[in-house]
Amino acid sequence: SQQGEEDPQALSIQEGENATMNCSYKTSINNLQWYRQNSGRGLVHLILIRSNEREKHSGRLRVTLDTSKKSSSLLITASRAADTASYFCATYGKSNDYKLSFGAGTTVTVRA
Amino acid sequence: DVKVTQSSRYLVKRTGEKVFLECVQDMDHENMFWYRQDPGLGLRLIYFSYDVKMKEKGDIPEGYSVSREKKERFSLILESASTNQTSMYLCASSPSLLSGEQFFGPGTRLTVL
């Protein structure tokens, strides 16, 4: 069942700008994960944030988690054309029977 | 690096045909998954397996079956393909149920005519 919902559905930015996308979910989680999917390809795991963490960084990626609001955000700084992809959040935990539950994704286009 | 491979990138089949999609992972992962991906719906779990010869239904198992005879291989079977099974099929494997991090194959785009 789909638990995470990303916002916005689509985002178009200029190269060098930052891209921010949000994810909201409904039930308690053990962790929340972000994945990237380039056009017509499989998903690639980007970053995992545990329920007791508030912020995590990986290179140009910054993820925040607010369990009280049941929301997360993914920030990509200094975007590049290669960041053009769809980004999915996925929740994981007991309430999902320890299965990943994906949102519908945010499509990001980075213009050169 | 973990590698998950799928037997075909593109597949075209006719209604009523039996279709086999194969997935192989090379990292000795216990857990394997099959998803389908449709525009606006995200990924939906079809079946998963925690061990050889074990399988569990996901959210949308109807019209599908699976087979896991060896640890590294997980097959998805469409017993009688229908046009509403036209979709992108993604296989994934996972080493641990503690974190749930999954590694995905490149996907198979199946068209049923």
Side-chain angles (χ1 to χ4, degrees), chain B residues 87-101:
Chain B
S87 187
M88 171 73 115
Y89 289 88
L90 292 162
C91 174
S93 70
S94 172
S96 166
L97 292 182
L98 290 176
S99 70
E101 178 183 348

Side-chain angles (χ1 to χ4, degrees), chain A residues 20-48:
Chain A
T20 300
M21 60 210 85
N22 303 296
C23 171
S24 59
Y25 58 92
K26 294 174 185 166
T27 62
S28 62
I29 60 171
N30 284 26
N31 65 60
L32 186 143
Q33 303 174 34
W34 285 91
Y35 289 79
R36 184 188 74 227
Q37 183 180 35
N38 292 93
S39 180
R41 308 291 296 188
L43 276 72
V44 174
H45 183 267
L46 294 176
I47 197 164
L48 180 154

Side-chain angles (χ1 to χ4, degrees), chain A residues 45-100:
Chain A
H45 183 267
L46 294 176
I47 197 164
L48 180 154
I49 186 164
R50 293 182 174 78
S51 60
N52 61 355
E53 297 175 311
R54 291 295 165 260
E55 188 170 313
K56 204 159 181 182
H57 296 254
S58 176
R60 293 183 296 112
L61 304 180
R62 174 179 164 246
V63 169
T64 63
L65 179 65
D66 186 336
T67 53
S68 67
K69 294 181 180 178
K70 291 187 168 56
S71 68
S72 173
S73 68
L74 171 66
L75 168 68
I76 306 172
T77 59
S79 63
R80 305 166 181 169
D83 294 328
T84 294
S86 292
Y87 293 82
F88 296 86
C89 69
T91 55
Y92 186 77
K94 186 177 179 182
S95 61
N96 299 353
D97 294 326
Y98 297 105
K99 293 175 283 186
L100 276 179

Side-chain angles (χ1 to χ4, degrees), chain B residues 61-79:
Chain B
E62 296 79 19
Y64 304 94
S65 62
V66 290
S67 171
R68 189 150 182 220
E69 297 296 318
K70 293 184 178 181
K71 192 175 187 179
E72 67 270 19
R73 190 178 298 267
F74 192 33
S75 301
L76 180 69
I77 303 152
L78 286 66
E79 296 290 343

Side-chain angles (χ1 to χ4, degrees), chain A residues 1-2 31 37 40-41 92, chain B residues 9 37 41 59 97 99 102:
Chain A
S1 58
Q2 187 172 316
N31 65 60
Q37 183 180 35
R41 308 291 296 188
Y92 186 77
Chain B
R9 288 297 318 280
Q37 182 180 23
L41 296 178
D59 299 317
L97 292 182
S99 70
Q102 293 185 12

Side-chain angles (χ1 to χ4, degrees), chain B residues 18-29:
Chain B
K18 191 168 186 175
V19 182
F20 293 87
L21 302 181
E22 290 221 313
C23 175
V24 178
Q25 50 95 3
D26 66 358
M27 283 301 289
D28 204 35
H29 287 172

